[in-house]
Amino acid sequence: MSQKSPSFQWYPRDHLTSARAAQMTSCEEGAYLRAICYCWLNGHIPSDIELLRRLIGKGCSEKTAKVVANMFVPMPGDETKLIHERLEAEREKQKAWRDKSLAAGKKSAELRKIKATQSAVINEAPA
């Protein structure tokens, strides 16, 4: 039951205080944000600059795509793909929360079943 989360936490302070993001032009920053969104949805972006440029769209230049690519790291085992370390940490955090919630839900269901069985036994006992 591994479903992809449609969203991720965005921390404005982290972005606005990032020295790397602060050095970007507005155009580069917009392209970066689009690349982050694609990366979240697909798990990666292409490391090929031409493919990345076309993925970002909106007239993204090769220079801008290179700046954006430098904000990502190669995917372990597949250098044709780039990942974002902050997004990967968020994925892990969300997965841990889903796993914890699933386990708690199963435990709660088991306890309700036991209580229902005990209640039925008590109600059926002769008075």
Side-chain angles (χ1 to χ4, degrees), residues 97-127:
W97 176 256
R98 279 192 307 274
D99 292 348
K100 179 182 173 184
S101 297
L102 179 63
K106 286 181 178 180
K107 184 175 182 177
S108 177
E110 288 174 20
L111 290 174
R112 285 192 311 273
K113 185 177 179 180
I114 290 169
K115 285 182 182 180
T117 302
Q118 289 173 345
S119 179
V121 168
I122 290 172
N123 289 336
E124 291 177 7

Side-chain angles (χ1 to χ4, degrees), residues 3-61:
Q3 62 183 3
K4 291 183 181 181
S5 177
S7 63
F8 59 92
Q9 289 281 16
W10 180 257
Y11 299 94
R13 180 177 312 228
D14 290 350
H15 182 70
L16 294 175
T17 59
S18 165
R20 294 187 321 161
Q23 294 174 26
M24 293 179 170
T25 66
S26 293
C27 180
E28 291 165 346
E29 188 173 20
Y32 172 55
L33 295 176
R34 287 180 61 84
I36 284 177
C37 291
Y38 283 113
C39 188
W40 179 258
L41 293 175
N42 299 303
H44 65 274
I45 58 172
S47 61
D48 180 272
I49 296 302
E50 179 58 24
L51 291 175
L52 178 58
R53 186 186 73 73
R54 290 193 318 225
L55 180 69
I56 293 168
K58 301 201 179 260
C60 180
S61 69

